[in-house]
Amino acid sequence: MIFFKPLVLFFLLLCCQYAYAQQLFESGIVYGGVTGGGFSTNTGSGTVVSNVAIPPNSTIKKAYLLATRDGVAPDIDVVLNGNIYTFTNASVISNKFISTINTWTWANSTIHAMDITNNIDSSVTVYSLTIPPQFNITINGFYSSFYLFIVYENPALSKLAYNLFINEQDVAITSTYSLVNFSSINNNNSVGLEMWSTFFCDTIQDGSYIDVNSNQLGLLGGAESNTIHSCTGVYSNFAHYNDSLFGLEDDTPDSLMSATDALADIKSYVNNNDTNVNVVFTLQTPGIQGGKLTNPIAALMLSYSTPCDTFSTTATAVQDTICLGDSVQLSATGGSTYSWFGVPIAIGSGLSDTTIANPLASPPQTTTYIVTIKNDSGCVKTEHIKIWVNPLPTPTNIITTNTLCNDSSGNLTVGIINSNTAPYSYTLTNLETSNTITQAQNTFNNLGNATYLLQIIDINGCSVTDTILINDVQVGCDVSDTLELMITIPNVFTPNGDNENDNFVIQIIGAELLESLETKIFNRWGQTVENRKWKVESLETLPLTNNQQQFTIWNGNTTAANEASEGTYFYIISYTTKAGETVTEKGSVTLLR
């Protein structure tokens, strides 16, 4: 397979570093072991068989089916030993990175994970994964590789620490990974370094050298032995238990890596009690074939004996499903220090504090929160919480028709809602009379001139609200003496203390015709922020300015005497004439500071 890319992109990778590297996704200590195996058809489809190794009488503690998605490929259904698993945006566990730069440059690539613990049988050691055909890969991208990672418990086995680091680093000529924040290593026994990658096509021009703590292990590249497809990349098929590292398929547990043998015992390259390992990948021949960069790392794994002992931890949430914009309390126990992160990060992880046991989470989308928990002995475990975020039932538009001559002929129609969370409940409340209508239809008819509060609730209980004004149009109506009154209402005021336009003031010509005057101000949620009434005797004593009487309706403060925020507010001005006729004016005013 030959890849090409513009030369400018090649130099871009030479000069630039990226924000993310490897993120600790799964870590723990177990009396038992860990095993894993990979599956890949590159851009193709078909069935790939991989072996794992689990000693008898073991109990599955945790199992993940992992996937690499290059680009923004659509959802995919894969079948593992008869069970169907669907990878979607909700299964993402990494932030976005560039996985290749060539003819197809895959930005927005991600690592995915499905927790399949309940579907794994410790007596089963052969797994068959069927990958369906994927279409329009040059436009959408595709799922290029999969990996099965299994942790098991067995009291008859010795103690083992395991760590799974997922990639968040863009592909580069030289990729450096500092694996940190894990339980200390006992290098008297095997220390397994395992990896999972894609597109390491060969060891002629498209391989990568791997170094551990400045010791070169070898040159990696080629198609794995359990697939007939080329350019699958390399992955470790391994097992680690009873202080021993075992190679499966074509992997060997020696101190080197070569071609598709992506497993190494690195105990000679680390010190006793180390808590960090540096791994460096370097392209074999950068610049060949147009300077392609096509050797992305998906994950690195460490397994080893440790002086740390097992310890209990938990991570919980008050609830695991919320509406967009809501918050949820997270809580972790069992450690002396805590470090949280959320993936994917869209507008930040939405955490109130990443270093406490019980942060408040306000995720902008469905997010997996991972907490690294460290006890007083410096031993490390991770816990996961997935918070599902349901969208809000926000309509594309709201269409209103005004009344004519106070005849209650107004109507309101809610437009299309694209959240796919039907059925919807529509509630409309008249803020003047407090009359409320709740219905399944999206149209309200026979509405009078008033300000209304509209609420839409979907099947998940998520809701949106909006304040709607139905105006009255006085065209062709009977003329009465109330029309001799002239009321001037501004549309903006600026309560900033400069003594200019600091108050919402209306001016009335002919105020002597009035018996009473009442004003109400509402915010966009229908809450009253001001309410005033004038009686006839006070109206008669108001001073005249240019033959007009001025009425200060609102000073810009809330009913709690706090400054109201900038924005649009709605008013209702009702007055009764001495002839006994009542008239209501409605509209909006903008508050600027």
Side-chain angles (χ1 to χ4, degrees):
M1 179 180 293
I2 299 177
F3 299 86
F4 297 92
K5 67 164 191 60
L7 187 60
V8 65
L9 288 175
F10 177 73
F11 286 108
L12 180 64
L13 262 292
L14 280 174
C15 71
C16 301
Q17 298 296 319
Y18 298 91
Y20 304 110
Q22 291 276 315
Q23 191 64 258
L24 183 59
F25 174 71
E26 180 72 23
S27 179
I29 306 162
V30 65
Y31 284 90
V34 61
T35 186
F39 313 83
S40 179
T41 58
N42 194 359
T43 61
S45 61
T47 298
V48 181
V49 176
S50 191
N51 295 306
V52 297
I54 304 174
N57 302 315
S58 299
T59 302
I60 302 301
K61 177 179 176 63
K62 185 65 69 173
Y64 294 102
L65 181 60
L66 303 150
T68 60
R69 183 177 71 177
D70 299 281
V72 289
D75 300 351
I76 186 174
D77 293 328
V78 298
V79 181
L80 181 70
N81 280 20
N83 293 304
I84 300 175
Y85 300 103
T86 303
F87 288 94
T88 69
N89 285 332
S91 60
V92 173
I93 60 166
S94 77
N95 293 296
K96 297 175 182 177
F97 59 93
I98 299 173
S99 59
T100 65
I101 293 181
N102 47 63
T103 303
W104 306 331
T105 296
W106 297 126
N108 300 317
S109 298
T110 45
I111 307 299
H112 295 238
M114 301 282 289
D115 187 336
I116 62 171
T117 304
N118 293 335
N119 292 338
I120 297 298
D121 187 334
S122 62
S123 65
V124 177
T125 58
V126 179
Y127 285 87
S128 173
L129 182 76
T130 300
I131 305 167
Q134 300 179 72
F135 304 99
N136 297 321
I137 62 174
T138 59
I139 299 173
N140 300 323
F142 60 103
Y143 287 84
S144 58
S145 185
F146 300 83
Y147 196 88
L148 178 61
F149 183 81
I150 301 173
V151 180
Y152 51 87
E153 294 178 309
N154 190 324
L157 301 179
S158 58
K159 188 172 48 179
L160 183 78
Y162 58 90
N163 301 275
L164 169 61
F165 295 86
I166 57 172
N167 182 60
E168 294 185 323
Q169 179 171 297
D170 293 342
V171 65
I173 294 173
T174 300
S175 300
T176 301
Y177 300 105
S178 295
L179 309 183
V180 297
N181 204 27
F182 52 80
S183 298
S184 57
I185 293 173
N186 173 4
N187 72 343
N188 293 320
N189 301 309
S190 294
V191 179
L193 173 64
E194 302 89 25
M195 63 171 292
W196 169 38
S197 70
T198 59
F199 308 139
F200 282 45
C201 290
D202 56 52
T203 54
I204 300 172
Q205 293 181 340
D206 193 34
S208 283
Y209 292 99
I210 178 171
D211 293 79
V212 174
N213 290 344
S214 301
N215 299 281
Q216 189 173 107
L217 273 61
L219 177 62
L220 292 166
E224 283 285 352
S225 62
N226 64 341
T227 180
I228 61 173
H229 296 267
S230 62
C231 282
T232 57
V234 298
Y235 38 75
S236 303
N237 295 278
F238 79 103
H240 197 161
Y241 60 90
N242 257 0
D243 302 326
S244 297
L245 183 65
F246 301 93
L248 307 175
E249 307 289 352
D250 59 356
D251 292 288
T252 57
D254 56 21
S255 62
L256 302 176
M257 291 186 181
S258 177
T260 58
D261 173 11
L263 177 66
D265 183 349
I266 62 170
K267 68 178 182 179
S268 299
Y269 311 134
V270 298
N271 297 314
N272 215 29
N273 295 316
D274 274 355
T275 58
N276 65 282
V277 173
N278 291 317
V279 183
V280 179
F281 292 91
T282 305
L283 287 182
Q284 177 187 11
T285 52
I288 298 296
Q289 299 177 356
K292 65 178 181 176
L293 295 171
T294 61
N295 291 14
I297 307 301
L300 294 174
M301 292 155 275
L302 286 174
S303 55
Y304 49 87
S305 301
T306 180
C308 286
D309 205 350
T310 59
F311 62 104
S312 297
T313 59
T314 65
T316 57
V318 174
Q319 60 192 82
D320 64 2
T321 303
I322 62 173
C323 299
L324 180 63
D326 290 346
S327 299
V328 61
Q329 185 72 59
L330 308 181
S331 180
T333 66
S336 57
T337 64
Y338 301 86
S339 177
W340 295 82
F341 73 96
V343 287
I345 295 177
I347 316 170
S349 62
L351 290 168
S352 61
D353 192 325
T354 60
T355 61
I356 61 176
N358 55 344
L360 191 67
S362 305
Q365 63 191 81
T366 294
T367 299
T368 297
Y369 289 103
I370 300 139
V371 56
T372 300
I373 304 172
K374 185 178 293 186
N375 67 12
D376 290 331
S377 301
C379 303
V380 176
K381 285 183 64 178
T382 57
E383 297 284 355
H384 304 167
I385 303 173
K386 175 170 278 191
I387 303 298
W388 298 85
V389 178
N390 289 321
L392 299 180
T394 304
T396 54
N397 61 353
I398 297 174
I399 302 171
T400 60
T401 301
N402 293 323
T403 65
L404 180 63
C405 302
N406 296 313
D407 64 355
S408 296
S409 61
N411 59 59
L412 179 155
T413 300
V414 179
I416 296 173
I417 300 174
N418 294 318
S419 62
N420 295 320
T421 53
Y424 305 107
S425 172
Y426 304 88
T427 297
L428 192 67
T429 300
N430 187 318
L431 295 178
E432 298 176 43
T433 65
S434 297
N435 290 337
T436 298
I437 303 171
T438 300
Q439 61 186 41
Q441 293 75 33
N442 67 331
T443 298
F444 294 88
N445 295 312
N446 303 318
L447 301 178
N449 177 208
T451 301
Y452 296 87
L453 182 68
L454 173 68
Q455 182 181 43
I456 307 169
I457 303 177
D458 66 16
I459 193 172
N460 297 317
C462 299
S463 67
V464 295
T465 59
D466 201 357
T467 303
I468 310 296
L469 179 64
I470 301 293
N471 285 305
D472 183 62
V473 179
Q474 294 285 329
V475 177
C477 306
D478 292 337
V479 178
S480 66
D481 57 0
T482 60
L483 296 180
E484 296 176 7
L485 294 169
M486 182 177 295
I487 301 179
T488 304
I489 305 173
N491 59 9
V492 65
F493 75 110
T494 57
N496 54 15
D498 64 356
N499 295 320
E500 294 185 12
N501 198 27
D502 278 339
N503 296 306
F504 180 29
V505 177
I506 65 172
Q507 296 177 336
I508 302 179
I509 297 176
E512 63 274 13
L513 298 176
L514 296 179
E515 181 72 25
S516 64
L517 175 69
E518 181 178 0
T519 62
K520 293 181 180 179
I521 309 294
F522 303 91
N523 61 21
R524 65 187 303 270
W525 296 281
Q527 299 167 324
T528 301
V529 296
E530 184 61 276
N531 187 358
R532 294 193 178 192
K533 294 181 180 180
W534 286 265
K535 293 184 178 179
V536 59
E537 54 267 24
S538 61
L539 295 175
E540 293 173 348
T541 59
L542 287 173
L544 289 174
T545 302
N546 296 328
N547 204 33
Q548 297 177 339
Q549 287 178 304
Q550 296 184 348
F551 297 79
T552 298
I553 303 302
W554 186 32
N555 64 2
N557 290 339
T558 66
T559 54
N562 298 318
E563 288 188 353
S565 60
E566 290 189 341
T568 300
Y569 293 82
F570 300 89
Y571 61 79
I572 300 174
I573 301 174
S574 300
Y575 57 87
T576 301
T577 69
K578 292 180 179 179
E581 184 172 4
T582 299
V583 179
T584 301
E585 302 279 354
K586 302 179 182 71
S588 63
V589 63
T590 299
L591 186 157
L592 300 174
R593 293 194 183 276

